[in-house]
Amino acid sequence: KLEKFDRYTLLHKIAEGGVSEVDLAHDPEAAEAERLVAIKRARADMADNTDVTKMFVDEENLLSRLSHPGIIRLRDFGRAQGRYARTLSDTAELYNSVLLETGSDNTFLQNELGISVDINESLALKAAYQLRRNSQVIGDKEKLDTLTTINLVWRPRR
């Protein structure tokens, strides 16, 4: 049985990372040519995490400021079934990477969520949001750092 998420019907999971997942979905309200969409949403076990919620809102704010024919268009943003989600077209690579390093005195967790859009065969635009958390910090330092990046990536021809 196919799962419903707000008005969307989830067809199958494309990818899952540390805090979010991406599903191929059907949008019954879209024009015929745009009915298949990708939905990025917080994983169920992360839905109430305030850092994850802030990351989704910050990412939406960043993506809404970018304008280029090669950048995916943000079609919908909101909260459904207790989970933030983002509906995207299928013209870019979406990724989520997690790094966990643990030792006797500290645990370091890094999660990067980003999008890479080809401009041409040698150039891509990459936008990412990264959370970095240390379990032990010195003095009154914050345990959580965030980093937002926008890069032009050059890939030499092979």
Side-chain angles (χ1 to χ4, degrees):
K1 184 181 177 201
L2 296 176
E3 180 184 350
K4 293 290 283 182
F5 186 75
D6 197 34
R7 75 174 189 250
Y8 306 98
T9 301
L10 304 181
L11 303 174
H12 70 86
K13 185 174 294 188
I14 297 171
E16 183 172 355
V19 297
S20 62
E21 59 191 30
V22 178
D23 293 279
L24 179 66
H26 177 262
D27 181 357
E29 296 177 16
E32 189 67 35
E34 297 181 352
R35 289 206 172 174
L36 288 180
V37 297
I39 294 183
K40 177 183 168 196
R41 58 188 179 154
R43 288 188 355 211
D45 61 324
M46 295 288 186
D48 294 324
N49 182 307
T50 55
D51 290 333
V52 172
T53 299
K54 183 181 181 317
M55 179 187 69
F56 268 77
V57 172
D58 288 348
E59 183 182 352
E60 186 275 333
N61 288 333
L62 172 68
L63 288 174
S64 68
R65 291 186 204 136
L66 300 176
S67 177
H68 184 276
I71 296 178
I72 59 166
R73 181 172 46 97
L74 182 65
R75 290 181 42 184
D76 195 7
F77 178 76
R79 190 172 173 102
Q81 300 170 358
R83 299 166 73 184
Y84 277 91
R86 190 169 293 44
T87 305
L88 310 170
S89 68
D90 60 352
T91 61
E93 178 184 50
L94 185 67
Y95 67 91
N96 188 22
S97 61
V98 177
L99 170 67
L100 177 64
E101 299 174 351
T102 187
S104 59
D105 60 343
N106 187 45
T107 298
F108 173 75
L109 173 65
Q110 176 178 296
N111 187 80
E112 180 174 297
L113 180 63
I115 186 166
S116 178
V117 180
D118 289 340
I119 296 171
N120 60 36
E121 62 185 43
S122 298
L123 290 175
L125 183 66
K126 177 182 165 189
Y129 185 78
Q130 194 175 92
L131 296 172
R132 299 173 178 174
R133 184 180 190 286
N134 284 287
S135 61
Q136 301 295 321
V137 294
I138 299 172
D140 61 348
K141 303 282 185 194
E142 294 289 325
K143 290 185 177 186
L144 181 69
D145 292 318
T146 60
L147 176 66
T148 303
T149 59
I150 299 176
N151 300 298
L152 191 58
V153 180
W154 178 68
R155 293 184 302 252
R157 290 184 183 183
R158 296 167 217 231

